[in-house]
Amino acid sequence: MASSVVPKMVSIFCSGDSSISFNACFTHMFFVHLATAVETGLLLTMVFDHYVAICKPLPYKRILTPQVMLGMSLTITIRAVTFMTPLSWMVSHLPFCGSNVVVHSYCEHIALARLACADPMPSSLYSLIGSSIMVGSDVVFIAASYILILRAVFGLSSKTAQLKALSTCGSHVGVMALYYLPGMASVYAAWLRQDVVPLHTQVLLADPYMITPATLNPIIYGMRTKQLQERIWSYLMHFLFDHSNLGS
């Protein structure tokens, strides 16, 4: 998801090359939003994996076979392509006869649709309803899975097992919050007038959910690793101890 936007953003910031061809911009838009649609499906499959691992640990390998994992991956991809293909077709067939400046850090759908000479409402409405249904259904299934997971976790007799399971789920909840909260805020803010939500605020809302999860994922998941915790603690103690000796 981050790879679909970061290269062009880096090119703009470092070399000042902000130009992009008409076809390349629509291709860029397709893959940017395709990646975001795939991401929400991946978060749902991760919850399913946690559910099976915690609630049905013994038949885990029998349930999550390579064929099942491949089937879930294909389903996520097909769903994303099915959602994005009509949206890309609607936007690319709008008449563009005015400004050719995309006021955004990447080729985002709403920013492109606003450049059209015709009414972009059909594509914007499709985007809003489609993303709301997709994310809403995923969040419902995620919430239902976590209810079952928490019931199973608090039914465990071992406190250590409870903490381990909660730690695993906590990391996933953190990643979901980094993705869903700014993502949906960006979608709904784009629908409001610029005098309600300034344009620079809309851009700043749209960027974090594309870049922040990928940036913080290694930290969120890595800090659960005992060896990494020990190394960081050792480094911090060594750093503080050396500085205290230098000060004295």
Side-chain angles (χ1 to χ4, degrees), residues 147-211:
I147 290 172
L148 297 175
I149 289 172
L150 290 175
R151 286 177 57 186
V153 167
F154 289 115
L156 297 173
S157 57
S158 171
K159 292 294 182 182
T160 303
Q162 287 182 358
L163 292 174
K164 184 177 180 180
L166 290 174
S167 174
T168 301
C169 295
S171 300
H172 185 247
V173 170
V175 171
M176 287 193 299
L178 287 173
Y179 174 74
Y180 283 127
L181 294 179
M184 294 313 296
S186 171
V187 169
Y188 290 111
W191 266 76
L192 299 175
R193 300 188 311 273
Q194 291 188 24
D195 56 343
V196 178
V197 180
L199 185 60
H200 67 273
T201 303
Q202 295 181 24
V203 174
L204 287 174
L205 281 173
D207 287 343
Y209 86 99
M210 299 293 294
I211 300 171

Side-chain angles (χ1 to χ4, degrees), residues 44 79 132-142:
L44 177 60
R79 184 183 72 162
S132 297
I133 292 174
M134 185 183 300
V135 173
S137 60
D138 287 351
V139 168
V140 168
F141 284 118
I142 288 171

Side-chain angles (χ1 to χ4, degrees), residues 29-141:
M29 183 198 76
F30 177 83
F31 283 106
V32 165
H33 293 293
L34 179 74
T36 60
V38 169
E39 177 76 6
T40 181
L42 288 176
L43 292 173
L44 177 60
T45 58
M46 288 173 67
V47 173
F48 180 65
D49 173 77
H50 292 161
Y51 166 75
V52 176
I54 294 173
C55 299
K56 301 180 183 295
L58 294 180
Y60 177 87
K61 291 186 177 180
R62 192 172 68 248
I63 295 174
L64 290 179
T65 61
Q67 293 78 11
V68 171
M69 299 299 293
L70 179 61
M72 289 193 295
S73 300
L74 288 175
T75 302
I76 292 169
T77 305
I78 292 170
R79 184 183 72 162
V81 171
T82 303
F83 168 69
M84 274 307 302
T85 301
L87 180 63
S88 298
W89 185 88
M90 285 189 286
V91 178
S92 63
H93 282 73
L94 288 171
F96 293 89
C97 54
S99 173
N100 62 350
V101 178
V102 181
V103 189
H104 213 288
S105 49
Y106 55 90
C107 291
E108 194 261 346
H109 158 247
I110 297 294
L112 277 175
R114 284 175 176 166
L115 299 179
C117 301
D119 183 13
M121 182 58 69
S123 67
S124 299
L125 193 61
Y126 174 86
S127 174
L128 180 70
I129 295 174
S131 58
S132 297
I133 292 174
M134 185 183 300
V135 173
S137 60
D138 287 351
V139 168
V140 168
F141 284 118

